[in-house]
Amino acid sequence: TILLLLTACLVSIFVVVQVATTYTTAYLAAPNEITTFIDAVDFSIQENESYDRDVAKVQRLEDKLRMGKLLREIQKSGDDLREDLNGLLIDEGGTRLRSSTRLLWATKRKRLEEQVRRLDLLRMRFLVVYMGLVAAKGTSEQTHTRDPEKHVTPKTTVRPGLPHALTEGITRKPPLRRLTTQAMGHNDHVGSPQKQGWMGVVAELQNSPLMHKRHASIERN
């Protein structure tokens, strides 16, 4: 039994020392850490102003309502964190902690860290949604600019119509190739009938008795 009592005492002393070390460390680090939380709240308030401008840039009503809901959650989380910090400080807007708060800073710090973590998650969610809307808008504008280029129809020049009389004359004329072939054939054979006709006439004149008599009379004279 004495051994068990000694063991229990040692374990209790170890736990007390560990808790005392934790709270002492937190007590000493409290002034610096409270400043970090205050800076986080001030930065969140400044970011909310830029988030308001981002929501105003959104055109679709559904997207604007969604972004506005996220912004209200961010603002509410920031306000709650600010109220909790003001309750831990001696003066609102200051950096001095109350004595009881500083002694129990190890416990108070965990709650503040959870609130800051939730605020950061909401801000990251807001930024992700906003960047997604911007990217979707950019891709839609690119597709709208590319589609007219794909569907542009080439301009066809309309030639003026020819007069009716001229078109009838063109249709009545034979094709150019037929004319050339006929002309070439005519040029090749046009001389032969005329030559044969003249030769026949000359042959008849030479063989006629009148021409023989005339030649004979010319020779006698």
Side-chain angles (χ1 to χ4, degrees):
T1 58
I2 298 174
L3 183 62
L4 292 174
L5 290 175
L6 290 175
T7 305
C9 291
L10 291 175
V11 172
S12 300
I13 292 170
F14 177 76
V15 173
V16 169
V17 170
Q18 188 175 3
V19 171
T21 303
T22 303
Y23 276 83
T24 303
T25 305
Y27 178 86
L28 297 175
N32 295 327
E33 291 180 351
I34 192 64
T35 305
T36 303
F37 287 116
I38 292 172
D39 292 339
V41 173
D42 294 338
F43 180 75
S44 178
I45 294 172
Q46 294 177 0
E47 287 292 320
N48 291 338
E49 296 178 357
S50 64
Y51 293 162
D52 288 331
R53 293 191 293 269
D54 294 336
V55 173
K57 294 178 183 178
V58 178
Q59 296 180 357
R60 290 181 57 185
L61 180 60
E62 182 180 357
D63 296 334
K64 185 173 289 188
L65 292 175
R66 183 183 178 187
M67 299 291 289
K69 183 179 179 180
L70 289 174
L71 180 59
R72 286 192 297 271
E73 291 181 1
I74 293 172
Q75 291 174 350
K76 185 177 183 303
S77 297
D79 294 338
D80 293 340
L81 180 59
R82 187 67 187 180
E83 289 180 0
D84 291 341
L85 287 175
N86 289 333
L88 300 176
L89 297 173
I90 296 175
D91 298 327
E92 290 187 2
T95 58
R96 293 181 62 187
L97 287 169
R98 296 179 181 178
S99 300
S100 59
T101 302
R102 190 172 180 180
L103 289 172
L104 300 175
W105 179 245
T107 305
K108 302 290 185 180
R109 180 177 58 187
K110 292 181 180 180
R111 182 181 177 184
L112 294 176
E113 287 176 351
E114 292 177 357
Q115 290 180 346
V116 171
R117 190 180 298 108
R118 183 174 182 274
L119 182 60
D120 291 337
L121 290 175
L122 289 173
R123 286 166 53 191
M124 290 298 296
R125 184 180 176 187
F126 181 90
L127 292 175
V128 168
V129 173
Y130 180 72
M131 293 303 294
L133 294 176
V134 172
K137 182 179 178 182
T139 52
S140 62
E141 288 178 355
Q142 290 180 359
T143 52
H144 285 312
T145 53
R146 289 177 182 175
D147 288 341
E149 295 178 359
K150 293 181 180 178
H151 297 287
V152 168
T153 55
K155 295 182 179 180
T156 56
T157 57
V158 181
R159 297 181 180 178
L162 297 174
H164 182 67
L166 184 58
T167 56
E168 287 184 354
I170 292 173
T171 54
R172 289 178 182 176
K173 289 181 180 180
L176 183 61
R177 184 174 296 176
R178 291 178 59 189
L179 288 174
T180 54
T181 54
Q182 290 178 359
M184 290 173 65
H186 178 72
N187 291 332
D188 293 338
H189 302 287
V190 69
S192 59
Q194 291 181 359
K195 291 180 180 179
Q196 292 177 1
W198 283 109
M199 290 175 67
V201 172
V202 172
E204 289 178 358
L205 291 175
Q206 289 178 357
N207 295 326
S208 64
L210 294 174
M211 287 297 295
H212 289 292
K213 290 179 182 182
R214 187 174 180 82
H215 282 295
S217 64
I218 291 172
E219 289 177 355
R220 286 194 299 268
N221 294 327

